[in-house]
Amino acid sequence: MLDCDSQREQLETAIRGLKCLLSLPPEYTGDVLGDVQMPSVPGCERRFSRIYCPGPLVPAGFRYQPSIAAVAREPEWYRVYMVNLSRGGLQILHHEQVFPGEHFEIGLLDGSRRLCRAAWCHYLNHCCYRVGAAFVKESSEASAAD
Amino acid sequence: MTATTEGACEYGLFPIATKTLCDGSPPDVEIFLKGGKGARPTLFHKRGTPLDQPALERLLDNGVRTLYVSSAEIDQYNDYLLAEVMANEDRPPLERFELLRDASQSVVLNAMVSGHAESVLQVTGEFAERLVDVIWDRQVVLMDLFGVMAHDYTTFTHASNVSTYCLILAEALGIRSAQQLVSIAQGGLLHDLGKRHVPKKILNKKSQLSETEWREMQKHPTLGFQELCGQDDVDLGQLMMVYQHHERWDGKGYPVGIPAEETHLWARICAVVDAFDALTTDRPYRRGYVAENAINYLDMQAGKSFDPEIVRCWIAILKENS
Ligand SMILES: [Fe+2]
Ligand SMILES: [Fe+2]
């Protein structure tokens, strides 16, 4: 258990040390993520209902995977913040626009890495975008909307 | 899809513009004529024989704007179009612009309604190259050009008008590279490609859209982007014309809600002329605005919906040529 905790601490330290260009809007700062009510996201139609548990934003590692030829991306790790997580996908806050269909890798605090495909992106401020993405499975893909 | 195109597909025929057959030697293909709705096509021109020009004139006088060739012979017809019609330096540029528009209508429309992304790109790329050739290289007098712009709203006329306007505006804003102008013209043609995935009943609805329908409609920039982003020969500017043409200067647009300075220049150009064309063309439920009213609207929205500098430039072009 202790090992597990210290491993998590190490990972968290590593993730917190990653480059981060985010500027969090006031509603996303502080210890907890507002109230149970989440900012509504137009166009997000979930198959499974989601229960919101207020809590601190969770940091995660983020790295683009080459996916759209016309969009040049540096294969660099960034620190992003996870807004929520479901069985099929997640929502993150990132410092720049991510285009629908773009792939990126996400490194979670438990040490796991997941390949994701962006489904939508909304502007919050010039250094903060909220991005909804689906986990990419080997043969099929889950929807970001579940 | 237009009624004529649907009818033609039944018989494996491809619609072509009657006007493209006037003058010059005829294409080496069989040409068919189709009567009213449901009528079977009849042979109008037999391969290898001289084209009956008086009969062709009569068809045009009677408003027959579309004839047909077999889908198997469409390549020969396109070769003829390039060699005999579009490359004919004797034709004034304005006439060639109209011919290009009329001749491309069914080909581009077919690709845009039901073609794969590759064929859409190929067809729109060819159209854009010829458009730049006719308008930019040969300097059509803009005043004449505005006079012949289509005012009936169809998927094709909107796309082709937006493409032409984007080209004119981009050039006036200082973009001089022929390659970029072709890209912009093609981006203009493609900007609403995602609408082919929006249900027809929503696209054609004459009354106000419900909230759900409006959300469906708002998906078209994303759907168009997703369809094109996997293609190697699409550039970033074109993708942004498709994805960002409904973003607003004040950040209240969609799909991202990104404000002006973060939106691609080509998308801001497209947004202005897209609105201008939407305002000035006739719809089944309303007459198009006269240019003056459209100018007033754009002026009012400068700095709110649209980039004010681009609006100023577009209004200057319109006023100079009205
Ligand atoms: Fe549009
Ligand atoms: Fe449009």
Side-chain angles (χ1 to χ4, degrees):
Chain A
M1 194 65 203
L2 207 67
D3 277 356
C4 222
D5 278 352
S6 69
Q7 199 187 4
R8 190 194 148 95
E9 259 173 44
Q10 274 178 14
L11 268 167
E12 186 160 349
T13 310
I15 287 174
R16 286 199 187 278
L18 291 171
K19 185 172 170 181
C20 182
L21 305 172
L22 259 166
S23 158
L24 291 173
E27 64 269 32
Y28 291 97
T29 52
D31 281 346
V32 292
L33 183 61
D35 203 344
V36 176
Q37 197 70 37
M38 296 282 286
S40 74
V41 180
C44 186
E45 297 147 2
R46 298 195 170 88
R47 276 185 289 146
F48 303 102
S49 60
R50 186 174 287 175
I51 299 162
Y52 295 119
C53 302
L57 288 174
V58 179
F62 172 105
R63 183 168 65 170
Y64 288 111
Q65 292 287 309
S67 40
I68 300 179
V71 180
R73 299 294 197 184
E74 293 297 322
E76 203 178 344
W77 280 98
Y78 293 99
R79 181 171 80 246
V80 296
Y81 286 95
M82 215 154 49
V83 176
N84 60 42
L85 178 68
S86 75
R87 68 174 90 182
L90 81 177
Q91 287 180 25
I92 56 165
L93 300 180
H94 186 38
H95 73 271
E96 64 183 350
Q97 182 171 199
V98 182
F99 296 106
E102 269 201 288
H103 285 75
F104 58 85
E105 196 179 348
I106 211 89
L108 300 171
L109 286 179
D110 66 357
S112 65
R113 287 190 188 176
R114 301 294 300 263
L115 183 61
C116 305
R117 199 186 76 191
W120 51 262
C121 177
H122 292 130
Y123 175 91
L124 299 177
N125 69 39
H126 74 287
C127 282
C128 187
Y129 291 80
R130 185 165 166 153
V131 181
F135 295 132
V136 178
K137 291 178 184 165
E138 260 176 44
S139 52
S140 63
E141 291 176 12
S143 160
D146 69 354
Chain B
M1 190 182 278
T2 59
T4 47
T5 314
E6 273 168 23
C9 290
E10 272 172 53
Y11 300 99
L13 295 178
F14 207 87
I16 61 168
T18 311
K19 263 201 256 178
T20 58
L21 300 170
C22 300
D23 312 329
S25 48
D28 192 24
V29 295
E30 314 241 273
I31 299 166
F32 296 86
L33 173 68
K34 201 166 166 285
K37 212 175 176 214
R40 292 187 74 83
T42 52
L43 188 64
F44 171 73
H45 168 74
K46 197 168 182 312
R47 188 184 298 110
T49 60
L51 191 65
D52 186 347
Q53 286 293 340
L56 198 68
E57 299 287 328
R58 280 197 299 279
L59 289 180
L60 282 169
D61 287 346
N62 290 325
V64 179
R65 295 198 176 163
T66 312
L67 291 169
Y68 300 90
V69 300
S70 154
S71 313
E73 293 193 314
I74 195 66
D75 285 344
Q76 283 99 303
Y77 170 75
N78 279 336
D79 289 347
Y80 156 83
L81 201 62
L82 267 174
E84 296 285 325
V85 183
M86 296 316 300
N88 182 352
E89 302 272 343
D90 295 337
R91 279 183 197 272
L94 189 65
E95 202 181 305
R96 291 169 61 200
F97 167 75
E98 286 187 276
L99 267 177
L100 169 64
R101 190 186 58 201
D102 295 348
S104 306
Q105 172 146 0
S106 40
V107 186
V108 175
L109 188 61
N110 262 1
M112 288 179 53
V113 170
S114 52
H116 295 297
E118 298 102 277
S119 66
V120 174
L121 281 174
Q122 194 199 329
V123 164
T124 53
E126 282 166 10
F127 179 93
E129 266 177 41
R130 290 183 216 167
L131 190 67
V132 172
D133 188 40
V134 169
I135 292 183
W136 182 61
D137 266 4
R138 279 153 232 279
Q139 294 294 317
V140 175
V141 179
L142 287 188
M143 199 185 291
D144 296 340
L145 184 76
F146 282 115
V148 300
M149 293 307 285
H151 288 286
D152 58 320
Y153 183 91
T154 67
T155 307
F156 174 78
T157 54
H158 175 62
S160 127
N161 286 0
V162 168
S163 171
T164 310
Y165 293 149
C166 277
L167 182 55
I168 294 168
L169 182 51
E171 208 260 332
L173 286 165
I175 298 174
R176 296 288 189 277
S177 140
Q179 199 190 338
Q180 285 192 20
L181 291 171
V182 170
S183 272
I184 291 170
Q186 188 179 17
L189 269 183
L190 295 169
H191 79 284
D192 272 337
L193 188 69
K195 280 193 180 167
R196 64 186 187 164
H197 304 295
V198 175
K200 278 205 178 68
K201 69 172 201 296
I202 295 178
L203 289 178
N204 300 331
K205 193 170 173 187
K206 290 178 186 168
S207 51
Q208 209 181 1
L209 297 181
S210 69
E211 211 175 297
T212 322
E213 290 168 333
W214 182 232
R215 265 208 301 274
E216 279 299 308
M217 182 66 122
Q218 286 186 327
K219 287 180 184 168
H220 80 267
T222 303
L223 294 170
F225 176 90
Q226 285 176 317
E227 192 167 354
L228 292 173
C229 71
Q231 303 297 316
D232 288 339
D233 36 8
V234 183
D235 59 46
L236 183 69
Q238 292 175 316
L239 284 177
M240 293 305 106
M241 286 172 87
V242 174
Y243 188 54
Q244 297 183 329
H245 70 274
H246 286 291
E247 297 292 356
R248 286 171 46 121
W249 179 259
D250 59 12
K252 291 179 182 165
Y254 61 88
V256 177
I258 199 168
E261 66 273 19
E262 323 240 346
T263 311
H264 197 283
L265 169 69
W266 296 7
R268 279 179 274 146
I269 292 175
C270 189
V272 171
V273 298
D274 182 37
F276 178 78
D277 188 64
L279 289 169
T280 51
T281 43
D282 294 335
R283 304 295 175 99
Y285 47 92
R286 65 149 173 80
R287 295 277 297 168
Y289 284 21
V290 292
E292 197 187 324
N293 290 347
I295 287 174
N296 288 341
Y297 174 82
L298 291 180
D299 195 31
M300 226 169 57
Q301 289 299 319
K304 292 179 191 158
S305 296
F306 310 117
D307 182 329
E309 240 175 80
I310 294 179
V311 170
R312 252 199 305 280
C313 183
W314 183 236
I315 290 178
I317 294 171
L318 293 171
K319 286 190 171 163
E320 261 170 45
N321 295 288
S322 61

